[in-house]
Amino acid sequence: MIGATGAVGSDVARALRARGWQVRALARNPSAAAEREPGFDWIGGDAMDRAAVVAAAGDADIIFHAANPPLYRNWRGLALPMLANAVAAAEASGARLIFPGNIYNFGPDAWPFVAETAPQRPTTRKGAVRVEMETMLHEAGQRGVRSLVVRAGDFFGPSAVNSWLAKVIAPAGKPPTRVVYPGPLEVGHAWAYLPDLAETTARLAEIETELPTTAVLHFGGHWVTGAELVEAVRQVTDNPRLPARQFPWWLVGMAAPFVPFLSELWEMRYLWRHPVKLDNAKLVAVLGEEPQTPLITAIQNTLGAHGCLARDRLE
């Protein structure tokens, strides 16, 4: 497990452990990681160190690669070599490499309903890097390296403290006084509740030998408009008059030339302006169903974990 200290990696690791897997996790500070999550076998190492990654993989059956450059920083300089190291580990161990994909890969010619076979012609820098990463997996497949991309929309959930939901829409730490939404309220958006995505990934890991050498599956998650999400937050917080406000993209645009993170954020604003829905028919055909927690329950679990609900709403 690479990236087990992050939201996606930790949720997937817990789901695998719950289904009986022994989880070996790489961390730069394994003792600190073990204090937070004592149920894993923590190994010291850095995802940028190929030798450490290959050694940690050892005789693994599955390598889950969830390491991600924080705050959109230096994707080309960090994301590509980290994945290359994971590929090398999969090649050495014979393990299936599982990689959480996103929708950055696609441009307008793939919208609005995106299947696994949709053309990958992105219009952003991070999208181009994502295409390179998946191309790396396909090329490794020609050498017999098995991989699986599980593609999903925007993450949210109790452990996703850096998500749009936790940082902008309903900021963690206190009950919301308003809901700030990043796009038009009438436009649908793809959301992935992390416990559901983790359970899906764990189920796929159990049948990975039945999958093609290079496999890609789309996780549908929750497809809701901004208005529906706002209403869900109102219902969960028991505040039907909670006002909805638009995210100040104009301010991000003004500051983007001077703040690298905001520049990267500005580049991805199109994902809120246009509907990009993932077709999960292939995933459902493979598993028989896609695990899905009802939206209201998922929002309640998330806001409760983030300290956004009054005490009486938690009981």
Side-chain angles (χ1 to χ4, degrees):
M1 176 70 64
I2 304 168
T5 57
V8 181
S10 61
D11 273 37
V12 170
R14 293 185 201 107
L16 287 167
R17 183 180 59 191
R19 298 183 77 87
W21 290 77
Q22 180 182 352
V23 178
R24 185 186 309 147
L26 188 71
R28 287 189 295 270
N29 189 339
S31 58
E35 289 182 10
R36 295 193 302 271
E37 195 72 52
F40 306 152
D41 179 15
W42 291 98
I43 304 292
D46 192 303
M48 290 291 288
D49 182 342
R50 177 166 300 193
V53 175
V54 171
D59 58 351
D61 296 311
I62 294 289
I63 298 173
F64 186 77
H65 179 80
N68 204 36
L71 299 176
Y72 291 133
R73 291 185 192 135
N74 192 17
W75 267 41
R76 184 172 299 281
L78 295 174
L80 288 169
M82 285 193 293
L83 181 60
N85 292 342
V87 169
E91 193 161 13
S93 64
R96 166 83 66 169
L97 175 58
I98 302 181
F99 177 65
N102 61 27
I103 58 179
Y104 294 2
N105 303 53
F106 305 106
D109 57 343
W111 306 338
F113 197 45
V114 183
E116 289 83 357
T117 55
Q120 294 194 10
R121 289 188 282 266
T123 58
T124 65
R125 295 187 301 275
K126 287 183 291 301
V129 171
R130 279 284 177 163
V131 171
E132 287 185 57
M133 295 173 80
E134 293 191 25
T135 299
M136 185 189 301
L137 297 178
H138 281 278
E139 291 175 348
Q142 302 302 312
R143 306 191 302 273
V145 178
R146 294 174 298 132
S147 66
L148 167 63
V149 175
V150 183
R151 195 183 318 285
D154 260 320
F155 301 144
F156 76 103
S159 63
V161 295
N162 291 316
S163 67
W164 273 97
L165 185 64
K167 288 294 188 181
V168 174
I169 296 172
K174 61 181 180 180
T177 56
R178 59 181 179 174
V179 181
V180 179
Y181 195 72
L185 293 179
E186 69 276 10
V187 174
H189 192 76
W191 291 94
Y193 182 54
L194 280 183
D196 292 340
L197 179 61
E199 174 65 15
T200 297
T201 304
R203 293 186 192 183
L204 289 170
E206 292 180 338
I207 61 168
E208 65 84 16
T209 57
E210 302 173 19
L211 300 176
T213 299
T214 305
V216 179
L217 293 170
H218 285 184
F219 176 86
H222 291 282
W223 171 256
V224 294
T225 65
E228 290 169 329
L229 185 65
V230 169
E231 187 56 36
V233 174
R234 287 171 175 163
Q235 183 175 334
V236 166
T237 58
D238 196 22
N239 187 353
R241 296 186 177 182
L242 194 65
R245 300 286 186 267
Q246 285 290 311
F247 180 72
W249 282 110
W250 63 272
L251 189 58
V252 174
M254 289 179 61
F258 312 103
V259 182
F261 168 67
L262 294 181
S263 176
E264 299 293 337
L265 192 67
W266 176 255
E267 186 184 56
M268 308 311 296
R269 69 193 184 282
Y270 76 93
L271 292 173
W272 297 97
R273 294 181 173 182
H274 304 281
V276 186
K277 184 178 183 180
L278 293 170
D279 179 359
N280 71 341
K282 188 176 177 182
L283 173 66
V284 172
V286 169
L287 287 182
E289 64 174 357
E290 179 184 290
Q292 187 173 101
T293 302
L295 179 64
I296 293 298
T297 303
I299 295 294
Q300 181 157 9
N301 292 345
T302 301
L303 296 190
H306 294 172
C308 296
L309 300 182
R311 183 173 297 276
D312 61 342
R313 300 295 294 173
L314 296 173
E315 297 175 350

